[in-house]
Amino acid sequence: MLVAPSSLVSVSLGTSPCSSTGVVGEVPADGLLQALAKVPDPRDPRGVRYRLATLLAIGVCAMTAAGHNSLVAIAEWARRCDQEVLARLGCPFDPFAGRYRAPGERTLRDAFAKVDPGALTAAGFARLTAPASPAAGPLSPDGVPEREQRRAHRAAVLAPDPVRLRRRAFAVDAKCLRGAVRADGSRMFVLTAVRHDDALTAALREIGAKTNEIPEFAPLLDAIDDADLHEAVITVDAMHAQKDHARYLVEDRHAHYLLSVKNNQPTLAGQLMSAYKRTCTTSYG
């Protein structure tokens, strides 16, 4: 199924295709471009023609459509965009050609290869979790809420106690990035913290070539706000069954943990197995 580029930009930017003021390129305060503008630009400022936020927004909008999962496909998507879409994405205007310029595959590759994945993940997480401000309801001439609002308020007051929400939960795990290699030919691994309820990546951290995911555990969760991690449950695999990790979660971040225990912690695994056997003996005679 083919999707018009203008509709993708409207969905990603959270605006209608045409500005209410008639000025092409306007983006709301909480738009995608402003969120991506928080990502630090690691490029040499000399010779830069495209803002980093523009290039990242092009990648987001292009990958919204199925099939645009390579740099060549993203560049081709940008090349097919009409002038209004390129303007709203912040592409530069060429006064000699009288057109907005679309970046090529080489420009996208150079920018995407240098971007900090952690900063990009944080910007995306903040954009996707930004609370929508509630619209003000209709008021009567004397400033009293209309009947529907009064009815809803009365129903909320008389309703029984709401069901207690489940704790927030984050899954921490390391993954290998398919098709991504370093200059020395080694594969690239990243450690991520993903929310259980909506599978949204809250934090991401690249694992160095000469280390593993254990020392990256605390720095990864440091990128998550205390308000989000407080009283939350962190689920991790057996590699993170470490005393320092448990102490960090409970004492420093006031969170809970659910750890898998295997033979990488033989003493703890033996104690748990002995307790399990005693419980089975007591329960079943």
Side-chain angles (χ1 to χ4, degrees):
M1 179 180 67
L2 297 178
V3 183
S6 59
S7 64
L8 293 179
V9 175
S10 300
V11 172
S12 298
L13 295 180
T15 60
S16 60
C18 297
S19 172
S20 59
T21 59
V23 179
V24 176
E26 279 196 346
V27 178
D30 59 346
L32 179 65
L33 286 177
Q34 182 173 2
L36 294 176
K38 299 178 182 179
V39 179
D41 191 345
R43 300 173 298 172
D44 190 330
R46 295 174 295 181
V48 171
R49 296 182 179 180
Y50 296 88
R51 293 185 301 163
L52 180 62
T54 294
L55 300 178
L56 295 177
I58 289 175
V60 171
C61 294
M63 295 184 71
T64 304
H68 299 89
N69 54 359
S70 68
L71 291 171
V72 175
I74 295 174
E76 182 64 20
W77 180 92
R79 188 185 67 81
R80 295 197 305 267
C81 287
D82 56 36
Q83 289 293 291
E84 180 185 0
V85 172
L86 294 178
R88 296 186 62 202
L89 288 170
C91 293
F93 183 79
D94 186 350
F96 297 100
R99 296 176 56 83
Y100 289 94
R101 298 170 56 93
E105 183 268 344
R106 184 175 179 179
T107 300
L108 295 169
R109 182 181 300 275
D110 177 69
F112 291 174
K114 297 177 180 179
V115 169
D116 181 6
L120 179 59
T121 301
F125 182 73
R127 164 64 178 165
L128 294 176
T129 58
S133 57
L139 300 178
S140 61
D142 56 357
V144 179
E146 293 287 0
R147 178 176 57 187
E148 289 77 9
Q149 287 190 329
R150 295 198 302 268
R151 183 181 302 165
H153 175 71
R154 184 168 58 252
V157 171
L158 299 178
D161 294 337
V163 179
R164 182 179 179 184
L165 299 177
R166 295 181 298 175
R167 293 184 185 273
R168 292 184 304 275
F170 295 87
V172 175
D173 194 14
K175 297 296 182 182
C176 178
L177 297 182
R178 184 178 62 179
V181 294
R182 296 187 175 90
D184 58 0
S186 62
R187 295 185 299 174
M188 183 174 295
F189 290 81
V190 294
L191 186 65
T192 59
V194 179
R195 290 201 309 200
H196 280 218
D197 55 343
D198 55 8
L200 187 63
T201 300
L204 181 145
R205 191 171 180 87
E206 181 180 348
I207 301 175
K210 297 183 179 180
T211 183
N212 56 43
E213 58 189 270
I214 293 179
E216 302 295 340
F217 179 81
L220 172 76
L221 296 181
D222 284 340
I224 303 178
D225 292 338
D226 290 337
D228 293 326
L229 210 59
H230 183 75
E231 294 295 330
V233 178
I234 310 300
T235 62
V236 291
D237 56 24
M239 179 175 287
H240 295 281
Q242 308 287 334
K243 294 181 180 179
D244 292 340
H245 291 1
R247 186 179 300 109
Y248 165 80
L249 290 174
V250 175
E251 298 180 359
D252 297 345
R253 304 306 302 274
H254 304 288
H256 307 274
Y257 58 82
L258 183 61
L259 305 176
S260 300
V261 178
K262 295 183 179 179
N263 290 331
N264 63 322
Q265 295 287 353
T267 303
L268 179 58
Q271 292 174 348
L272 293 177
M273 184 59 66
S274 298
Y276 173 74
K277 291 180 179 179
R278 289 196 302 269
T279 302
C280 292
T281 302
T282 303
S283 301
Y284 301 103

